[in-house]
Amino acid sequence: MKFKSLLTKFIPGKKKSPGEQDRPGEDKTEVIEHEIGISFDQRQTRIEASGVVGEIDVYVNDEKINIHTLAPVTRIGRDPGQSDIVISELIVSKLHCTIFSQGERFFIKDNDSTNGIYVNHEKVTEQELKNGDTILLGKKGTVRLHFHLRR
């Protein structure tokens, strides 16, 4: 059951006068949104595109903290003003690296970060990413990205 329909079921809407019925097409979510103060905009959590889509799983200290679908250009760093994916760890530079796509190929580029980027434990400045690659932000390995493709 969708969250929206679950709320519609359990949160009372506006009171109807005796004999009043729902009108066809009436949107009860308007009442719910008003009563609980949240909006139910239909927003995609993933970027849907034809072909191949890149994703990264973000690990900090071996704990998976997030999964991100990559845009054509995705900036990764500690500064929310400069980065699309923000990782609040001191080893991560303000604007650490950029992942970008060209067609169905994905590349990573170090943005002159202090601690560098390592793809499969090799230091790189720019490299094509392959499905299953592991990216370390800094040599310590406390911040690790796992790159994978979704079709």
Side-chain angles (χ1 to χ4, degrees):
M1 176 180 286
K2 288 185 177 178
F3 182 69
K4 186 174 179 178
S5 43
L6 183 65
L7 285 176
T8 304
K9 189 173 190 174
F10 291 108
I11 297 178
K14 62 182 179 184
K15 304 282 186 228
K16 296 189 184 324
S17 57
E20 184 181 0
Q21 296 181 353
D22 289 339
R23 285 174 260 137
E26 180 180 43
D27 187 4
K28 294 179 187 176
T29 60
E30 185 178 305
V31 173
I32 293 168
E33 289 172 3
H34 175 72
E35 287 189 13
I36 62 175
I38 58 175
S39 175
F40 291 102
D41 293 3
Q42 297 295 323
R43 296 185 185 174
Q44 294 290 329
T45 56
R46 293 179 180 240
I47 300 168
E48 295 299 332
S50 59
V52 176
V53 176
E55 293 181 327
I56 57 169
D57 302 335
V58 179
Y59 294 84
V60 175
N61 296 320
D62 292 325
E63 181 181 336
K64 188 175 188 176
I65 61 167
N66 219 329
I67 300 171
H68 295 277
T69 300
L70 299 172
V73 175
T74 303
R75 298 166 303 179
I76 300 169
R78 198 177 69 239
D79 182 3
Q82 298 181 59
S83 305
D84 303 306
I85 297 174
V86 178
I87 303 172
S88 300
E89 294 290 317
L90 292 177
I91 200 164
V92 178
S93 294
K94 290 180 182 178
L95 182 55
H96 201 100
C97 61
T98 302
I99 298 177
F100 60 95
S101 64
Q102 292 179 348
E104 293 189 351
R105 298 169 61 196
F106 290 83
F107 298 85
I108 189 164
K109 181 181 184 319
D110 188 353
N111 293 331
D112 298 321
S113 65
T114 303
N115 295 302
I117 57 172
Y118 296 78
V119 176
N120 301 324
H121 300 286
E122 289 186 33
K123 186 170 182 152
V124 300
T125 53
E126 186 170 333
Q127 181 171 320
E128 182 174 359
L129 294 172
K130 302 293 183 195
N131 192 35
D133 278 350
T134 298
I135 303 155
L136 302 178
L137 303 185
K139 192 171 187 168
K140 286 185 175 182
T142 55
V143 177
R144 180 172 42 98
L145 311 175
H146 178 75
F147 173 77
H148 52 96
L149 299 172
R150 181 171 51 91
R151 297 190 186 273

